[in-house]
Amino acid sequence: MGRFARNMMARASGGSVALSRLWPGRTDRLIIAPHDLRTADATRAAEIYAGRFVFAGKIVTCHGRSIFDLEPPSEDWEVALLGFGWLRHLRAADTALTRANARSLVDDWLSNLARKRPTGRRADVLARRVISLLSQAPLVLGDTDGKFYRRYLRGLAREIRYLRYTMMDIDGVPRLQVLIALCYASLCLANQARHIRAATRKLSDELQRQILPDGGHISRNPGALIELLIDLLPLRQTFAARNIAPPPALLNAIDRMMPMLRFFRHGDGSFALFNGMSSAPSDLLATLLAYDDTHGAPMANMPHTGYQRLDASAMAVIMDTGPPPPPSVSHDAHAGCLSFELSSGPSRIVINCGMPSTGRDNWRTFARSTAAHSTLTFHETSSCKFVELSAMKRLLQGAPVVSGPSNVESYREAVANGVLLTTSHDGYLDRFGVIHRRVLMVAQDGTRLDGEDTVSPAPGARIKGNETDYAVRFHLHPSVKASRLSDARGVMLVLPNRDVWTFEALDDKVELEDSVFLAGNDGPRRTAQIVIRQDSQQASSVRWSFVRSAASPSATTAKRNARREPELPL
């Protein structure tokens, strides 16, 4: 087998790898390995060989002991270890040493089946491990003998059997990940016709339930699209490699989801920070976008997922205009109704705080609060209520939303100088008797965003209690340098590309306060927020604007380029 088979696998690395020719006489078992779209780093293979396992910002050194015996420094680190995704780094190095290292580590895991931590049996971790063991089978089994091959398959079969019983109490992305892993297993192992039909049917039903008609995920988390597409695209290839027609529900789900990647992207390539979104891995996004055949402008309205996008020249505004998701998929949902993010060209200006990619438990309560979003907060209270079930925290992976806005309205119209978006939500109605209304007006040339936030009683009702204070917040990206103007009614914003924007409150004083940007690649970072505080008894509305200076470099360039561009025929 040896060198010839490895060369064949290298040439087939663009898609699923046929394994039947690698182990003659054993083609009735493992016959194909799906392609892994995740980026691999061959330099990390040397770290792993040296016994240094670096995951989720934590380092553990083995010192000759089994890595699976050591106490994990964090749950995120343990999730990465037990998902076995790090095998792809060893495969990228593709040396006899790394192949032997991979076999040794997998053998260590298989030899200690009694050493099972609860994290390793979590549905999403188990699904990731099954997919990793299937996709990296050419690495682990390339130079092996029949004895290890059979042990590998027995261990894999045990994981797959366990996976079939993990869907009882899970929903959302983990449930889909389990079904995707089961589809992979049925396609990669021979004599699985019955399981292929059953797994395909269940996956199709779940995709139709969880992927909404506009392409968003039922959890309303933009990050769910990345997590799912990175597995669904190779699954489509694996069906084709087995000469089996991919189920229509899979093809339709991918076709709907791909445009949503562009919908949530700012000019710098990052994703808007809504409902549990953390930093978007640029390598994964680039890989996924390479599969996008549309390459067109993103759609403006996602009515089923509950988001609006306003584009004007280099300006982009992305806004949350939907109610919270169903409780069973709301464990990462945020109370950010009517919050928005603003970017101009490659610079993000207004953001939400987002969620850290690791160490979420330390920030989860704050990150999910309304105050962590660029919207109005009434009496420093979130527009959603969350339940904390501490005894089941690890199982639930968060706290579901138990109440929040039930009626969220949005209406957009083209007006003489741009686009007008009128929105409202009733998240504060039951507790305080008020409705929050937000109106945004985007100028056609992308140089101005005007807004008005209003809190008022519902028709025929009165404000409940004596709590009538509210605050309108605009969290700024850390790269923006903010300075409050001398009149205390405005803030000058200098962007990294030297563009200058001015925030102005028409009738109110403006405060510049500390904030935190949680979704950075290098962990939480200090930043600033613009805050307008008011009392609804004295003033029920706040008017504000973001305006780009005409002297900004990009504005000058835009005008110069506009003169050079030919007019399109009507």
Side-chain angles (χ1 to χ4, degrees):
M1 197 288 290
R3 186 183 302 275
F4 171 75
R6 289 195 298 274
N7 290 339
M8 289 296 293
M9 286 186 284
R11 286 198 291 270
S13 61
S16 301
V17 179
L19 300 180
S20 57
R21 69 186 66 185
L22 303 186
W23 298 281
R26 298 193 180 98
T27 56
D28 59 326
R29 302 307 303 274
L30 189 56
I31 60 174
I32 198 168
H35 186 44
D36 188 349
L37 291 183
R38 289 169 174 80
T39 303
D41 182 359
T43 62
R44 296 189 61 182
E47 290 184 345
I48 294 173
Y49 180 74
R52 286 167 49 86
F53 290 79
V54 184
F55 306 132
K58 304 289 185 180
I59 302 175
V60 173
T61 305
C62 291
H63 297 299
R65 298 176 60 190
S66 168
I67 187 62
F68 303 109
D69 280 338
L70 302 181
E71 189 66 25
S74 71
E75 185 175 359
D76 294 322
W77 184 93
E78 188 178 19
V79 165
L81 173 70
L82 300 183
F84 279 73
W86 42 268
L87 284 173
R88 70 184 185 274
H89 302 307
L90 299 178
R91 188 177 180 184
D94 194 28
T95 66
L97 194 62
T98 56
R99 289 191 293 275
N101 190 202
R103 279 194 304 277
S104 175
L105 289 165
V106 172
D107 189 36
D108 184 21
W109 171 259
L110 295 175
S111 301
N112 292 274
L113 290 175
R115 188 204 300 132
K116 299 298 182 186
R117 294 192 177 100
T119 299
R121 288 306 182 194
R122 244 174 57 186
D124 55 332
V125 178
L126 183 59
R128 175 58 44 218
R129 185 163 64 249
V130 167
I131 295 174
S132 296
L133 292 175
L134 290 169
S135 61
Q136 305 308 329
L139 165 75
V140 182
L141 301 177
D143 296 331
T144 191
D145 55 21
K147 183 179 179 181
F148 180 79
Y149 173 76
R150 288 189 292 272
R151 290 188 60 240
Y152 188 86
L153 284 180
R154 283 198 301 270
L156 184 58
R158 276 191 292 264
E159 302 279 49
I160 293 168
R161 283 197 300 271
Y162 195 90
L163 196 61
R164 290 195 174 105
Y165 296 99
T166 61
M167 292 192 299
M168 301 293 289
D169 300 310
I170 61 171
D171 201 355
V173 171
R175 185 177 179 87
L176 269 177
Q177 288 173 327
V178 168
L179 291 170
I180 291 169
L182 290 174
C183 263
Y184 273 125
S186 64
L187 291 167
C188 295
L189 297 170
N191 302 321
Q192 298 288 307
R194 177 173 59 89
H195 287 305
I196 291 176
R197 288 192 293 270
T200 299
R201 183 182 67 254
K202 290 178 181 178
L203 177 63
S204 296
D205 292 344
E206 199 63 28
L207 284 171
Q208 290 176 330
R209 183 180 77 89
Q210 290 198 33
I211 306 303
L212 301 175
D214 57 17
H217 186 254
I218 192 172
S219 69
R220 306 190 66 237
N221 184 347
L225 302 173
I226 301 174
E227 287 293 316
L228 294 171
L229 281 170
I230 208 70
D231 286 328
L232 290 175
L233 289 169
L235 181 60
R236 182 178 63 180
Q237 292 178 328
T238 307
F239 271 103
R242 286 294 313 273
N243 292 318
I244 300 173
L250 171 62
L251 301 178
N252 292 338
I254 291 174
D255 288 344
R256 295 198 308 276
M257 294 166 74
M258 292 300 288
M260 286 292 272
L261 295 178
R262 297 187 180 276
F263 179 90
F264 286 114
R265 286 183 86 211
H266 286 291
D268 65 348
S270 62
F271 258 37
L273 302 174
F274 297 106
N275 286 302
M277 183 66 201
S278 57
S279 59
S282 57
D283 54 343
L284 288 187
L285 270 178
T287 299
L288 293 176
L289 289 170
Y291 285 83
D292 185 5
D293 297 327
T294 60
H295 298 293
M299 290 177 282
N301 181 16
M302 295 298 178
H304 302 92
T305 313
Y307 291 98
Q308 294 273 353
R309 181 181 177 109
L310 305 169
D311 284 296
S313 186
M315 179 198 287
V317 176
I318 308 172
M319 187 173 183
D320 181 343
T321 56
S328 63
V329 292
S330 68
H331 300 99
D332 288 323
H334 290 186
C337 193
L338 303 194
S339 65
F340 74 92
E341 295 199 345
L342 165 68
S343 61
S344 177
S347 301
R348 282 186 282 174
I349 304 173
V350 177
I351 58 170
N352 297 313
C353 293
M355 183 70 81
S357 56
T358 61
R360 292 186 169 208
D361 284 348
N362 299 329
W363 290 99
R364 188 182 301 274
T365 301
F366 167 74
R368 302 179 74 189
S369 68
T370 300
H373 297 76
S374 294
T375 186
L376 181 145
T377 308
F378 195 88
H379 192 56
E380 297 300 330
T381 304
S382 289
S383 57
C384 292
K385 285 185 178 180
F386 309 99
V387 61
E388 286 286 355
L389 301 175
S390 56
M392 302 181 69
K393 182 179 180 182
R394 187 172 296 269
L395 175 64
L396 292 173
Q397 288 299 297
V401 174
V402 292
S403 69
S406 58
N407 183 26
V408 184
E409 298 180 351
S410 63
Y411 175 72
R412 63 188 293 156
E413 58 182 322
V415 293
N417 298 317
V419 177
L420 185 69
L421 178 62
T422 305
T423 63
S424 67
H425 81 77
D426 62 352
Y428 292 118
L429 184 59
D430 289 343
R431 283 170 288 174
F432 302 107
V434 298
I435 302 289
H436 172 207
R437 293 182 175 85
R438 167 166 271 183
V439 179
L440 300 184
M441 168 71 181
V442 172
Q444 194 170 17
D445 60 2
T447 62
R448 186 180 184 98
L449 170 66
D450 291 286
E452 182 175 16
D453 286 284
T454 304
V455 288
S456 58
R462 298 175 58 185
I463 296 179
K464 299 178 181 179
N466 299 320
E467 295 87 2
T468 57
D469 59 293
Y470 64 92
V472 183
R473 290 181 168 86
F474 307 91
H475 296 272
L476 302 176
H477 190 269
S479 64
V480 176
K481 295 181 179 178
S483 305
R484 198 164 75 133
L485 300 180
S486 57
D487 63 359
R489 297 185 184 276
V491 178
M492 184 175 71
L493 309 172
V494 181
L495 310 189
N497 62 356
R498 295 186 299 160
D499 270 9
V500 177
W501 286 68
T502 302
F503 173 85
E504 184 178 0
L506 273 65
D507 306 304
D508 300 275
K509 288 189 176 182
V510 172
E511 300 294 335
L512 199 57
E513 301 179 2
D514 287 338
S515 180
V516 61
F517 175 54
L518 297 174
N521 292 323
D522 51 354
R525 296 169 59 189
R526 177 174 293 187
T527 186
Q529 60 175 318
I530 299 170
V531 184
I532 303 172
R533 302 184 188 278
Q534 192 50 273
D535 191 299
S536 58
Q537 298 281 32
Q538 301 174 8
S540 61
S541 65
V542 170
R543 294 182 297 163
W544 48 266
S545 63
F546 286 90
V547 182
R548 187 174 70 190
S549 168
S552 294
S554 63
T556 305
T557 303
K559 292 177 182 177
R560 183 167 61 247
N561 291 342
R563 288 196 296 268
R564 293 178 181 176
E565 290 177 359
E567 293 185 4
L568 295 176
L570 298 176

